[in-house]
Amino acid sequence: MTIANKISRILDYLKRPEKTSHFAKERLQIIIAHERGTRDKPDYLAALQKDLLDVIAKYVAIDKEAVKVDLERKDGYSVLELNVTLPEGL
Amino acid sequence: MTKIIVITSGKGGVGKTTTSASFAVGLASRGFKTAVIDFDIGLRNLDLIMGCERRVVYDFVNVIRNEANLNQALIRDKHIKDLFILPASQTRDKDALTLEGVSTVLDELSKTFDYVVCDSPAGIERGAQLAMYFADSAIVVTNPEVSSVRDSDRMLGLLSSKTKRAEEGREPLTEHLLLTRYSPKRVARGDMLSLSDVNEILAIPLLGVIPESQAVLRASNSGDPVILDKESDAGQAYLDAVGRFLGEKIPHRFIEEKGNWLKRLLNFKEKETV
């Protein structure tokens, strides 16, 4: 074993493993923000969005992200908000 | 006025039953008449942690089905006079717990008890939903680990919508974060989410930090809740948490790495060289 090799092994031994807790925090912040956004919304919303997209796609070429369906509850009533972004030039 | 407390977490194995047992003992030691109920139907374990497994004759489901009355099913704690345990049933019938049944039992307990501690099962099935439904306070038990924090956040969502208080539009229940199995050493090394990380993500008031401790396993081995081990770090941390729950101002402990000046100096040097 060369001296350089030995030194590198000693250095490896002394090196601390990479810190990971900041990955945990970042991943949690992203996934939790996403899940809070869909919380308390009925399960049919995703299916409704897909059906609407299919209907619109029969007439206009739109992209998957172009239809947004949102349900908002205010005191006493609910608002179903439908937002369709049509491509330019139509 | 009886206060109903749910001990919940979503994820299993984070310390709900350990916390339920210690909290119930802590409240009863302060002179409050306390009942602790195991909602984990089919997987009864609170009796073991409380050390009364051989005295179980009737259980929660027997009471709900009118096969026994509440006084027959309540087990008097071996250590503390004002503490009673209502064990879960070992039935495999998932529908054994009913909303009406739970409501009747809690109403009856509310006539004579100061606190009712509900030990929730893991998951978000019926047992967990019923354990939280009537609660006035929730203690969310969380480990500094990604899956536990995420599940705790989901439980917070359920607590704000699927409880009686929420449905009736009353004042929401009070939420408390209890961070368990915390290791300041691993936090310092950058291997574990810190108290402030978890606090920032979940954003509910902190009730306490229970350090990772050998005393917890020792306590469960012997069936004496860890809060009775007053010499231990975990026992003291639970005593503090109960005090805070009752409104006392107690500074947080066990959140900094212990160690002498030499160790800290060495750590400092190590950090410099990396």
Side-chain angles (χ1 to χ4, degrees):
Chain A
M1 194 184 282
T2 64
I3 290 175
N5 217 330
K6 251 189 187 163
I7 290 173
S8 113
R9 280 189 62 174
I10 292 168
L11 284 177
D12 273 354
Y13 179 77
L14 288 175
K15 205 160 66 182
R16 294 159 147 251
E18 199 189 347
K19 295 184 176 183
T20 52
S21 61
H22 63 282
F23 295 131
K25 188 181 181 186
E26 281 164 27
R27 290 172 60 219
L28 273 170
Q29 281 172 326
I30 293 166
I31 190 66
I32 284 178
H34 174 75
E35 286 174 350
R36 281 181 187 161
T38 57
R39 188 188 277 177
D40 302 331
K41 297 209 170 112
D43 293 338
Y44 65 73
L45 221 57
L48 177 66
Q49 178 160 354
K50 191 186 167 295
D51 284 355
L52 285 169
L53 185 71
D54 290 346
V55 172
I56 296 166
K58 265 169 68 177
Y59 303 93
V60 200
I62 52 166
D63 124 66
K64 262 209 303 208
E65 299 295 309
V67 177
K68 289 246 182 311
V69 180
D70 221 343
L71 190 72
E72 210 176 309
R73 287 203 186 89
K74 292 191 177 127
D75 27 25
Y77 62 97
S78 303
V79 179
L80 180 70
E81 194 182 300
L82 178 63
N83 203 333
V84 185
T85 315
L86 293 177
E88 275 179 56
L90 275 169
Chain B
M1 190 58 188
T2 309
K3 256 197 150 187
I4 299 173
I5 308 167
V6 61
I7 314 290
T8 187
S9 71
K11 190 176 182 298
V14 298
K16 283 184 296 298
T17 302
T18 297
T19 298
S20 299
S22 280
F23 243 78
V25 168
L27 291 168
S29 323
R30 300 286 195 111
F32 296 107
K33 195 175 178 191
T34 304
V36 55
I37 308 180
D38 190 349
F39 274 77
D40 202 347
I41 305 302
L43 293 169
R44 159 161 97 207
N45 273 324
L46 181 68
D47 55 339
L48 269 178
I49 302 300
M50 303 283 299
C52 65
E53 69 277 7
R54 294 183 57 181
R55 290 193 287 144
V56 175
V57 182
Y58 296 110
D59 58 53
F60 197 6
V61 171
N62 290 138
V63 178
I64 286 177
R65 290 182 173 157
N66 287 320
E67 294 157 359
N69 66 42
L70 189 55
N71 286 326
Q72 288 174 298
L74 285 173
I75 302 170
R76 184 183 283 272
D77 184 70
K78 59 184 176 185
H79 298 288
I80 293 137
K81 175 165 98 5
D82 286 322
L83 178 57
F84 293 82
I85 299 122
L86 183 57
S89 135
Q90 288 287 49
T91 175
R92 274 186 282 172
D93 176 8
K94 274 171 104 189
D95 301 325
L97 281 190
T98 59
L99 188 67
E100 301 73 40
V102 173
S103 170
T104 310
V105 169
L106 289 177
D107 279 348
E108 188 149 355
L109 288 172
S110 297
K111 287 178 195 157
T112 49
F113 282 85
D114 298 309
Y115 286 99
V116 179
V117 177
C118 301
D119 182 17
S120 172
I124 51 174
E125 299 294 314
R126 185 199 286 253
Q129 285 177 18
L130 287 173
M132 72 167 66
Y133 189 72
F134 297 97
D136 302 302
S137 298
I139 297 177
V140 180
V141 183
T142 307
N143 288 172
E145 181 270 331
V146 285
S147 49
S148 174
V149 175
R150 180 200 210 169
D151 288 1
S152 291
D153 191 70
R154 283 217 65 191
M155 296 319 284
L156 289 172
L158 295 177
L159 287 167
S160 66
S161 60
K162 305 279 190 213
T163 59
K164 193 160 185 262
R165 280 175 172 265
E167 285 178 5
E168 290 174 353
R170 280 191 290 150
E171 193 192 331
L173 51 69
T174 52
E175 298 162 335
H176 307 271
L177 173 65
L178 190 74
L179 194 58
T180 57
R181 306 199 67 166
Y182 193 67
S183 167
K185 200 171 149 195
R186 303 189 72 185
V187 172
R189 247 192 268 148
D191 286 345
M192 184 181 265
L193 285 164
S194 71
L195 169 60
S196 69
D197 291 341
V198 179
N199 233 342
E200 189 185 323
I201 293 166
L202 293 178
I204 58 169
L206 178 71
L207 184 63
V209 176
I210 311 297
E212 171 82 52
S213 167
Q214 313 238 346
V216 174
L217 183 58
R218 283 206 306 269
S220 86
N221 288 340
S222 52
D224 300 319
V226 71
I227 195 169
L228 293 166
D229 185 355
K230 295 191 170 71
E231 302 295 306
S232 71
D233 47 0
Q236 291 175 22
Y238 273 115
L239 282 169
D240 287 0
V242 170
R244 282 185 212 109
F245 185 83
L246 296 171
E248 295 162 18
K249 294 259 174 291
I250 302 169
H252 289 283
R253 294 194 277 166
F254 314 110
I255 53 179
E256 299 288 344
E257 189 180 6
K258 27 176 200 228
N260 54 29
W261 63 271
L262 184 68
K263 207 170 156 194
R264 250 178 274 153
L265 192 72
L266 288 173
N267 262 339
F268 180 67
K269 277 223 159 147
E270 255 177 76
K271 267 177 211 154
E272 271 190 329
T273 54
V274 171

